[in-house]
């Protein structure tokens, strides 16, 4: 763990329950991303971003992660398996879906994210394994709202450890408003039993 969203292949390589439920929530509420320019933070294997682009009709989805090895192997393989080889621009779905590295809190990485951005997507990035990176994660979220133009964020969070409260306390101090979304379930993955919450996050003017 480098404290900025990058790590050795491990936690991020598995499809976490929070990602499954966020993907299902997007399927049930496609209007939240349809026609929107999206950035996914901590894409892991890429499930949420793929669903947003291929199923819900997002205008574009940049699947980002701090782990470049993960992007080059697992994420790339999943996109190839679903959509075949990328186009000449290295993207899929006629240029609407791609992956790129993003280390949280790093200006040089922020500037590589195509803007404007409409929606931020994230699942299981607020976890105790990333506690040391919370400040950098919030810096990236602030950048995407203030400089990127993001209007809202969908965040799937699974409660694991009391240290994770620090993220939400710091985020609200930055002026963000969190609203819990209705519960969903998928293939026996029960949101309530797993203590998973999907938040709709905004930053009023």
């Amino acid at each position: 763990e480098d404290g900025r969203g990058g790590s050795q292949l491990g936690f991020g390589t598995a499809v976490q329950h929070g990602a499954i439920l966020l993907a299902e929530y997007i399927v049930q509420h496609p209007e939240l991303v349809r026609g929107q320019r999206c950035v996914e933070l901590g894409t892991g294997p890429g499930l949420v971003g793929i669903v947003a682009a291929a199923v819900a009709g997002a205008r574009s989805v940049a699947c980002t992660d701090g782990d470049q090895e993960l992007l080059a192997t697992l994420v790339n393989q999943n996109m190839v398996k679903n959509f075949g080889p990328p186009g000449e621009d290295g993207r899929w779905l006629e240029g609407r879906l791609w992956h790129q590295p993003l280390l949280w809190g790093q200006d040089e990485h922020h500037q590589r994210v195509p803007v404007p951005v409409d929606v931020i997507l994230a699942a299981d990035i607020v976890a105790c394994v990333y506690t040391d990176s919370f400040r950098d994660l919030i810096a990236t979220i602030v950048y995407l709202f203030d400089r990127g133009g993001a209007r809202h964020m969908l965040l799937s969070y699974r409660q694991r450890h009391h240290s994770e409260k620090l993220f939400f306390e710091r985020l609200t101090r930055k002026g963000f408003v969190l609203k819990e979304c209705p519960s969903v379930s998928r293939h026996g993955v029960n949101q309530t039993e797993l203590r998973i919450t999907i938040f709709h996050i905004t930053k009023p003017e």
Side-chain angles (χ1 to χ4, degrees), residues 22-44:
L22 180 56
E24 178 63 23
Y25 187 79
I26 290 171
V27 169
Q28 294 184 16
H29 301 277
E31 70 280 359
L32 294 172
V33 301
R34 184 185 297 121
Q36 304 299 302
R37 294 159 293 201
C38 304
V39 171
E40 183 186 7
L41 302 179
T43 190

Side-chain angles (χ1 to χ4, degrees), residues 35-198:
Q36 304 299 302
R37 294 159 293 201
C38 304
V39 171
E40 183 186 7
L41 302 179
T43 190
L47 173 65
V48 173
I50 288 172
V51 168
V55 180
R59 177 176 173 180
S60 64
V61 182
C63 297
T64 72
D65 204 282
D67 191 332
Q68 295 192 44
E69 183 181 355
L70 175 68
L71 293 173
T73 55
L74 186 57
V75 178
N76 200 77
Q77 291 167 10
N78 286 339
M79 291 184 179
V80 169
K81 286 179 180 179
N82 280 279
F83 311 114
E88 293 182 359
D89 59 358
R91 300 183 178 190
W92 289 265
L93 298 177
E94 299 181 338
R96 295 192 298 110
L97 176 69
W98 68 95
H99 56 74
Q100 67 179 79
L102 173 59
L103 289 178
W104 302 332
Q106 304 303 298
D107 287 339
E108 64 271 27
H109 280 249
H110 292 164
Q111 293 167 10
R112 296 172 192 162
V113 177
V115 294
V117 173
D118 299 310
V119 182
I120 304 169
L121 305 171
D124 276 305
I125 60 173
V126 182
C128 55
V129 294
Y130 300 131
T131 302
D132 291 340
S133 66
F134 284 169
R135 290 188 185 278
D136 290 319
L137 171 56
I138 291 173
T140 293
I141 294 170
V142 168
Y143 176 88
L144 292 174
F145 270 87
D146 292 354
R147 302 283 296 278
R151 294 182 288 111
H152 63 95
M153 177 177 184
L154 294 173
L155 171 68
S156 180
Y157 161 67
R158 182 176 184 180
Q159 182 180 346
R160 294 182 176 88
H161 191 266
H162 65 84
S163 63
E164 296 156 357
K165 293 181 180 179
L166 292 173
F167 170 83
F168 296 103
E169 292 172 356
R170 291 170 180 171
L171 194 66
T172 54
R173 286 201 297 268
K174 293 288 186 180
F176 289 89
V177 176
L178 288 73
K179 179 181 178 182
E180 292 188 19
C181 299
S183 297
V184 295
S185 62
R186 177 70 174 176
H187 296 315
V189 180
N190 185 284
Q191 184 173 337
T192 302
E193 291 179 359
L194 293 173
R195 297 189 296 178
I196 294 174
T197 303
I198 297 175

